[in-house]
Amino acid sequence: MTQLFVGTPVVTEAPSIVVDAGLSVGQHRFQLEVVIDSGQKSQPVTAVVQVQSSTAPIGAAPANPSASAPKTAPTPAAPRTVGARKPRKKKE
């Protein structure tokens, strides 16, 4: 796993990296620049990742509210009739 430090670039020849699980809760900004063999750099691309807590706060609603909701049968969709398309006129 790759450990990330603010302001420190990660240099790799692999097309992806696995990031350590130690990122704190909150927003994290990642910037990617690709350098090809001739030394040319791509324009930087930035992605913002939002890390959320995996534990619910005390007194929070259940993670799956439908689990405690009464079960009902789904309403079937009404059938539709689709008409045939008219042929397009050829341009001359």
Side-chain angles (χ1 to χ4, degrees), residues 87-92:
R88 293 185 177 179
K89 292 183 181 180
K90 291 183 181 179
K91 292 184 181 180
E92 294 179 21

Side-chain angles (χ1 to χ4, degrees), residues 1 19-25 28:
M1 279 193 217
V19 180
D20 69 8
L23 290 177
S24 60
V25 172
H28 298 274

Side-chain angles (χ1 to χ4, degrees), residues 19-42:
V19 180
D20 69 8
L23 290 177
S24 60
V25 172
Q27 280 191 351
H28 298 274
R29 184 178 307 269
F30 295 89
Q31 180 172 306
L32 173 70
E33 280 184 346
V34 176
V35 181
I36 61 174
D37 291 337
S38 67
Q40 287 182 304
K41 286 185 181 180
S42 70

Side-chain angles (χ1 to χ4, degrees), residues 40-62:
Q40 287 182 304
K41 286 185 181 180
S42 70
Q43 291 293 320
V45 176
T46 303
V48 177
V49 175
Q50 179 71 37
V51 177
Q52 298 179 350
S53 174
S54 62
T55 57
I58 296 173

Side-chain angles (χ1 to χ4, degrees), residues 53-74:
S53 174
S54 62
T55 57
I58 296 173
N64 185 1
S66 63
S68 60
K71 304 292 183 207
T72 58

